[in-house]
Amino acid sequence: MSSAHMIAAFIGAALSLTIVFLTRRDHISPLVAARWFALALLVLFVGFFPGIVDVVGEYFGIGYPPIIPVLLALGAAMVKILLMDIERQRLNTKIDRLVQRMAMLEQSVEEHNIVRPKFTNVGSNTDRKVK
């Protein structure tokens, strides 16, 4: 077993232990942990059995089989980035709607003179009185 394979096996083992630790501490949800744990097991498997990449490459007719894990990792990273962008856009839309709803509620409160909100000029020093 070469040093590169030992490093890959060590990375897979370290990743597995880290995921278990983070899941036990409730830092990541079990569903997300399951996906990361599957990835860690895959890295560990390829680290201990590197010949599997050559077999897969030969089956698919790939001239340089060691590029397969690199391409898979790049594809997975691109999908993950896309999902993160979708989630960020969803959260931004939700925040915009909450801000609009808050503005409508403030307007309604001011029109009915129920309560004068003190948070209309957040951040300015004009709403503080000096004694």
Side-chain angles (χ1 to χ4, degrees), residues 37-56:
F37 196 69
L39 178 68
L41 289 178
L42 182 66
V43 170
L44 191 63
F45 182 75
V46 171
F48 279 116
F49 305 107
I52 195 77
V53 174
D54 295 331
V55 172
V56 171

Side-chain angles (χ1 to χ4, degrees), residues 118-124 127:
K118 294 187 179 212
F119 49 84
T120 55
N121 294 327
V122 174
S124 69
D127 43 334

Side-chain angles (χ1 to χ4, degrees), residues 1-7 50:
M1 187 178 269
S2 71
S3 63
H5 300 128
M6 291 295 287
I7 291 171

Side-chain angles (χ1 to χ4, degrees), residues 37 41 50 77 83 89 99 114:
F37 196 69
L41 289 178
L83 292 174
Q89 181 59 42
V99 167
I114 297 172

Side-chain angles (χ1 to χ4, degrees), residues 11-129:
I11 289 172
L15 189 58
S16 299
L17 292 174
T18 302
I19 291 166
V20 168
F21 176 76
L22 292 174
T23 304
R24 300 260 311 151
R25 298 277 182 176
D26 287 333
H27 291 293
I28 55 176
S29 70
L31 179 62
V32 173
R35 290 188 300 228
W36 280 105
F37 196 69
L39 178 68
L41 289 178
L42 182 66
V43 170
L44 191 63
F45 182 75
V46 171
F48 279 116
F49 305 107
I52 195 77
V53 174
D54 295 331
V55 172
V56 171
E58 186 178 315
Y59 178 76
F60 286 112
I62 297 173
Y64 185 67
I67 199 67
I68 295 171
V70 175
L71 291 175
L72 290 174
L74 184 62
M78 288 176 28
V79 168
K80 177 66 177 161
I81 292 169
L82 177 65
L83 292 174
M84 288 169 54
D85 283 346
I86 290 170
E87 180 66 17
R88 184 175 43 95
Q89 181 59 42
R90 187 185 68 77
L91 289 174
N92 282 342
T93 302
K94 191 173 187 177
I95 288 171
D96 289 343
R97 289 181 182 157
L98 286 171
V99 167
Q100 290 172 355
R101 185 172 180 199
M102 178 112 171
M104 290 187 302
L105 288 171
E106 283 181 22
Q107 181 67 31
S108 175
V109 165
E110 287 178 7
E111 285 177 359
H112 292 91
N113 288 328
I114 297 172
V115 174
R116 296 299 274 169
K118 294 187 179 212
F119 49 84
T120 55
N121 294 327
V122 174
S124 69
N125 291 330
T126 57
D127 43 334
R128 294 184 190 164
K129 294 185 179 180

